[in-house]
Amino acid sequence: MPSKKNGFYKNIAYYKMTGGKSDVGRQRTGSSLSEDDKSLGLLSFGAIVSLIVWYLTSFLTLFMNKYTLTNLQAEAVLFSTVQIVVSTIVGGINMYWPCYMGRATRECVRRPFSFYTNMMFVGLTRFLVVFLGLISLEYVAVSFTETVKSSAPLFTVVISFLMLRERNGIYVQLSLIPIMTGLVLCSAYEISFTLVGFLAALGTNLAEW
């Protein structure tokens, strides 16, 4: 019989993947994608535009965060809190007036109490991801922060084994060697290296899992 702890983390993983929606909810809301877009997948026009917009906004977000923290001397705690509050407000609006993906939420669904506790846990970890990411940007270069954060697969494999007892194949384990090697090399030869920035970047991987 699985333990309550394992069940809790599995619920967290489920809610992260589904966005907190049940199978019934997904069937009811449906999708606004056309059949042609579904058949083309990532080669569809909508998917390509979405990827380009995502890369551009991610690029601008990173460097604007770095500029705000370094040149404007913004506080990481206040900055991350504002970002989370704005994301919550925009996300709530998107539930009822979505841009172009999905359909608007028309009814309130009663959910168990465990759903709200799990969502609070997910929200807290999301805040830690934003906060630690800003701390890292404040102390080290943007490129180094993103290099350290790219080691996320390593943390996913380790934490999945420790918490869920999931075992990965030999090919997955061998693929982690280049990631670890690159992380060590970048950390050894990074001019802007500081322990605080390095640990903060690692902390984003732990919190984001």
Side-chain angles (χ1 to χ4, degrees):
M1 181 178 294
S3 63
K4 292 183 178 179
K5 183 178 180 181
N6 287 348
F8 171 75
Y9 288 111
K10 287 180 179 179
N11 286 337
I12 292 295
Y14 171 77
Y15 285 123
K16 279 187 174 182
M17 290 187 296
T18 62
K21 293 183 178 181
S22 63
D23 293 337
V24 176
R26 290 201 304 273
Q27 294 173 2
R28 180 169 54 250
T29 56
S31 174
S32 60
L33 295 176
S34 64
E35 293 299 328
D36 293 336
D37 289 339
K38 291 179 181 179
S39 61
L40 291 175
L42 290 178
L43 297 179
S44 65
F45 177 77
I48 293 175
V49 172
S50 298
L51 287 173
I52 293 174
V53 172
W54 180 80
Y55 275 109
L56 289 176
T57 53
S58 297
F59 175 82
L60 291 175
T61 299
L62 281 173
F63 284 92
M64 289 303 296
N65 285 343
K66 181 67 175 180
Y67 177 81
T68 305
L69 291 168
T70 304
N71 296 80
L72 302 182
Q73 303 296 321
E75 291 291 337
V77 177
L78 177 62
F79 199 17
S80 56
T81 301
V82 170
Q83 289 189 9
I84 291 296
V85 170
V86 172
S87 298
T88 303
I89 295 173
V90 174
I93 294 174
N94 191 62
M95 289 178 60
Y96 297 96
W97 296 281
C99 298
Y100 69 95
M101 297 179 63
R103 297 177 181 176
T105 301
R106 298 299 182 186
E107 59 184 43
C108 296
V109 180
R110 294 191 61 182
R111 304 185 186 277
F113 179 76
S114 59
F115 169 81
Y116 297 100
T117 56
N118 291 342
M119 287 299 99
M120 289 180 62
F121 182 80
V122 173
L124 176 61
T125 56
R126 182 57 191 167
F127 174 80
L128 289 176
V129 168
V130 176
F131 173 69
L132 292 175
L134 293 175
I135 290 294
S136 179
L137 289 175
E138 188 174 4
Y139 284 91
V140 296
V142 174
S143 58
F144 181 67
T145 298
E146 292 304 303
T147 301
V148 175
K149 290 172 66 175
S150 67
S151 63
L154 172 64
F155 288 85
T156 300
V157 170
V158 174
I159 297 176
S160 296
F161 173 75
L162 294 177
M163 293 185 175
L164 304 178
R165 298 301 177 186
E166 292 183 357
R167 297 182 179 273
N168 295 278
I170 184 65
Y171 294 111
V172 174
Q173 297 177 18
L174 290 176
S175 68
L176 298 177
I177 296 177
I179 297 176
M180 297 173 62
T181 304
L183 182 60
V184 171
L185 291 175
C186 290
S187 301
Y189 295 100
E190 175 60 39
I191 299 176
S192 64
F193 177 86
T194 62
L195 184 61
V196 175
F198 177 72
L199 293 178
L202 287 180
T204 60
N205 290 334
L206 291 173
E208 197 167 21
W209 180 88

